[in-house]
Amino acid sequence: MMRNFYERRRVSSDMKEKQQRYEALVHAFHADIFRYAFYLIQDKSIAEDVVQETFLRAWRSLDALKDEKAAKAWLITIVRRENARRFEKKQFDTVDIDANPVADEVIFTETSLQEADMQRLLCMLSESYREPLILQLLFGYSGEEIAAQLNLNKNTVMTRLFRARSQLKELLSKQTSEKGRHNG
């Protein structure tokens, strides 16, 4: 009888500890993980779903996370896999655009236009260049951390970051010169 009591007490204590670890994980990384998912997906509601699924998987596998310092990288990996799973099971519906007109009711500010413009330019980069750049810009990851996250050589990451920035500068200058021609 006492053995059962101590077993229940130990299990309860373990569950409470796991709950506290999970809540700390969510509190510390939710905003960053959502921001990364949004950059990958470009749709707020789908990004929210992917983040929710990410944290659900994190809860289920929390005991596998031994190094708390690796939590952010672990969560980013889960987000990337969840995003990939989305395409494995998704059957895309086609819609006739001409038959379904959509009114655009969004009011753009200059800042939101600049952010949307930058996001559009980032999306023009190939994924191999875009992903390391986003990891560096959003999370402040170093070349070594990005290399570990993407399972690449550090020199490869540094080359991709350099090329991504160069391509982005080229796209920006092209865009600026085109705007100048249209306005002049």
Side-chain angles (χ1 to χ4, degrees), residues 79-108:
V79 167
R80 292 173 67 221
R81 289 181 181 157
E82 281 306 310
N83 188 42
R85 276 189 197 94
R86 207 169 51 94
F87 293 104
E88 291 171 1
K89 57 187 172 188
K90 175 101 173 136
Q91 296 296 320
F92 293 100
D93 298 327
T94 57
V95 175
D96 184 7
I97 293 175
D98 295 328
N100 297 306
V102 177
D104 189 5
E105 299 174 8
V106 179
I107 298 172
F108 292 103

Side-chain angles (χ1 to χ4, degrees), residues 54-184:
T54 296
F55 280 105
L56 180 62
R57 286 190 185 274
W59 168 259
R60 291 179 186 149
S61 304
L62 193 59
D63 295 333
L65 179 64
K66 302 298 180 202
D67 183 6
E68 299 295 325
K69 294 175 188 163
K72 188 186 259 186
W74 180 65
L75 289 168
I76 288 172
T77 300
I78 296 172
V79 167
R80 292 173 67 221
R81 289 181 181 157
E82 281 306 310
N83 188 42
R85 276 189 197 94
R86 207 169 51 94
F87 293 104
E88 291 171 1
K89 57 187 172 188
K90 175 101 173 136
Q91 296 296 320
F92 293 100
D93 298 327
T94 57
V95 175
D96 184 7
I97 293 175
D98 295 328
N100 297 306
V102 177
D104 189 5
E105 299 174 8
V106 179
I107 298 172
F108 292 103
T109 64
E110 187 173 333
T111 304
S112 69
L113 285 173
Q114 288 172 342
E115 289 173 2
D117 211 22
M118 184 56 73
Q119 198 166 28
R120 183 183 57 78
L121 292 175
L122 279 170
C123 288
M124 292 173 75
L125 298 175
S126 71
E127 186 175 344
S128 63
Y129 293 147
R130 181 177 60 240
E131 194 164 22
L133 186 60
I134 289 173
L135 287 172
Q136 186 181 55
L137 294 175
L138 285 182
F139 297 113
Y141 277 4
S142 68
E144 289 175 0
E145 292 169 323
I146 295 169
Q149 182 65 41
L150 300 178
N151 200 22
L152 296 170
N153 180 300
K154 181 185 175 195
N155 292 335
T156 303
V157 168
M158 299 312 286
T159 300
R160 288 182 183 182
L161 287 170
F162 175 79
R163 289 181 181 164
R165 282 190 219 99
S166 297
Q167 287 180 13
L168 206 52
K169 284 178 192 174
E170 187 177 312
L171 289 168
L172 279 168
S173 67
K174 213 182 276 187
Q175 177 180 309
T176 304
S177 66
E178 286 177 9
K179 282 183 181 177
R181 273 188 271 148
H182 293 298
N183 292 336

